[in-house]
Each structure stands twice: as structure tokens, then as C-alpha cells.
Amino acid sequence: MRYLSVCLVLGLASGAAVAQGVPALTIGQMAGGQTFSLSVQVLAFMTALTLLPALLLSMTSFTRIIIVLAILRQALGTPQTPPNQVLVGLALFLTLFVMAPVMTTAYDSAVEPYLAGEQQPLEAAQLALDPVREFMLSQMRESDLALFAGLSGHEDIEDPAELPISVLVPTFITSELKTAFQIGFLVFIPFLVIDLVVASVLMSMGMMMLSPMLISLPFKIMLFVMVDGWSLLLGTLAGSFAA
């Protein structure tokens, strides 16, 4: 609920910024019936919500988690198991777990004062965005930050916290992609060794017509289960976001 509240505050601020100064649209019946009022701010808010999921997924830990899980599935040799719905659901809930402290801070500093009428939408959105900005900065690589800061003409800014969100988001996504593929490489190596060993044994036995993937699959699954792979991998992914 706190996560959804922060999302709604950010979307409401976007809608308010677009519709600021636009009067409400009122529709009335000619024969003395009911009168319906529709604020243009609500229309702007609903429009902003269509872009909000993509923005939030790009500013959270979801990218790293889903890529590592997808690489794990390929390394196991089961491209359809677990299915996409399971991987996405697991990545979403692990993202909520990782982002819980950030969203709690945003909720306490922005959502509650906004709901109490103590802050304006734009001010609340800025306060809600500050913890997310700090999270992204803690996960960025200096080389990526320097690259996008130079491309945007902000290379003279000394404090990265002063960079606009339009620079921080692509920097964060690029850093997350690099980190995800590094973790995926380490996950892939043990399963690749099993494939090589099984392929070598089959070649030495002259069984070249038998697929090595078919023989190595149960060994890879057994290895992954014996080392408690899911707990190990998910715990490592959650711990990799520690500042």
C-alpha cells in the first residue's frame, strides 16, 4: 500500500503540473437534471499513470533481478521453466522487498503530509523522489554517470545529487544492465562446466548422436537443488543492493 501511495503521489504531481491553471470542465443537462463535473487535472493524472509503471520499473531493482533470473533459466537448459509469469511475479515481489525501505521513507516524508493537506502535489512528489534518487545514486557506476552527464552537458556539476532525473535514470539502467550480466556470468559458469563434462564423456564413448543437453539437464537441476540455489541466488540478489 505504501508503494502504491508513492506511485499515486508521483502521478498526481505529474497530472497537476500538466493541468495547472486549466479550469474544470462542467457538463450540465438542459432539462434541470444532474450536473457532472470533470477536472482536467484528473485527465492529466490518468494520462500520467500510463507512463508511471515503466518509469518505476526503470528506477527500481526490477531490471537487475529479472535479467539474472532469465539467465539462470537459460543456464539450466529449461527455456520455458519456470514460466515467464512466475519469473516476473518473483522479480516484482523481490523488488518490493528490496525497495521497501526506500518507499517507507518516501511515504513518511511525502505521502502522509500530502494526504494531511500539508504539502502541495509538486512538493510532495519532489520529497517522494529524493529517496529514490539516493537509491539510484548508490547503485550507479562513476563511468556511466560521467558518460551521460557529459552527453547532457552537465559535466561541470560536482555533486551527482544535483543532476536532473533525466540523466540519472539512463545512468541507473545502464549500470544495472552491467551488474546483471556480471552476476549472470557467474551463475552460468557452473552449469557450463557440467555441459562440457557431459559432452566430453559422450564424445569419448562415441555417443555423438545423443544430445548432451538431455543428459546434463538432470545433473544441473540436482546441483541447483542440492546447494539450495533459489535461496542462495535470491539472497545474493537482495544483498547486492545494500549501499
Side-chain angles (χ1 to χ4, degrees):
M1 290 301 297
R2 292 184 175 183
Y3 186 83
L4 292 176
S5 299
V6 173
C7 298
L8 289 176
V9 168
L10 293 175
L12 182 59
S14 302
V18 174
Q20 187 175 7
V22 180
L25 177 63
T26 302
I27 303 175
Q29 294 183 356
M30 297 296 296
Q34 295 179 346
T35 300
F36 303 92
S37 297
L38 178 62
S39 175
V40 179
Q41 293 183 358
V42 176
L43 294 177
F45 167 67
M46 298 303 296
T47 303
L49 279 181
T50 60
L51 299 176
L52 194 58
L55 294 176
L56 291 177
L57 292 179
S58 301
M59 298 163 62
T60 63
S61 57
F62 181 83
T63 301
R64 182 189 305 185
I65 295 171
I66 192 63
I67 289 177
V68 173
L69 293 179
I71 292 177
L72 170 65
R73 187 171 63 177
Q74 292 294 327
L76 285 172
T78 55
Q80 301 297 329
T81 305
N84 292 331
Q85 294 85 345
V86 174
L87 289 186
V88 173
L90 180 59
L92 283 175
F93 279 99
L94 189 58
T95 299
L96 291 177
F97 174 80
V98 172
M99 300 298 296
V102 178
M103 293 303 168
T104 299
T105 303
Y107 181 86
D108 294 337
S109 61
V111 178
E112 284 188 349
Y114 171 73
L115 296 178
E118 300 174 359
Q119 293 177 354
Q120 296 297 321
L122 294 179
E123 181 183 0
Q126 182 62 41
L127 292 175
L129 191 60
D130 288 341
V132 181
R133 183 191 296 267
E134 294 178 3
F135 170 79
M136 291 192 296
L137 286 172
S138 66
Q139 304 299 324
M140 290 180 186
R141 301 171 184 264
E142 294 184 359
S143 58
D144 297 330
L145 188 61
L147 170 64
F148 285 97
L151 292 175
S152 61
H154 295 88
E155 64 274 4
D156 55 341
I157 297 180
E158 298 180 358
D159 187 5
E162 299 178 358
L163 290 172
I165 197 68
S166 59
V167 177
L168 296 182
V169 171
T171 304
F172 174 74
I173 296 176
T174 304
S175 299
E176 287 295 284
L177 289 175
K178 290 182 179 179
T179 304
F181 277 98
Q182 287 178 350
I183 299 176
F185 171 78
L186 297 177
V187 171
F188 211 106
I189 290 300
F191 301 106
L192 180 61
V193 172
I194 294 178
D195 287 334
L196 292 176
V197 171
V198 171
S200 300
V201 172
L202 292 178
M203 289 286 292
S204 62
M205 296 176 62
M207 303 175 64
M208 293 178 293
M209 299 301 294
L210 184 61
S211 174
M213 295 294 296
L214 182 62
I215 304 300
S216 64
L217 178 59
F219 291 100
K220 290 189 289 186
I221 294 178
M222 180 182 65
L223 173 65
F224 191 69
V225 173
M226 288 181 59
V227 300
D228 197 9
W230 286 113
S231 298
L232 183 63
L233 179 62
L234 296 180
T236 302
L237 280 174
S240 66
F241 291 95

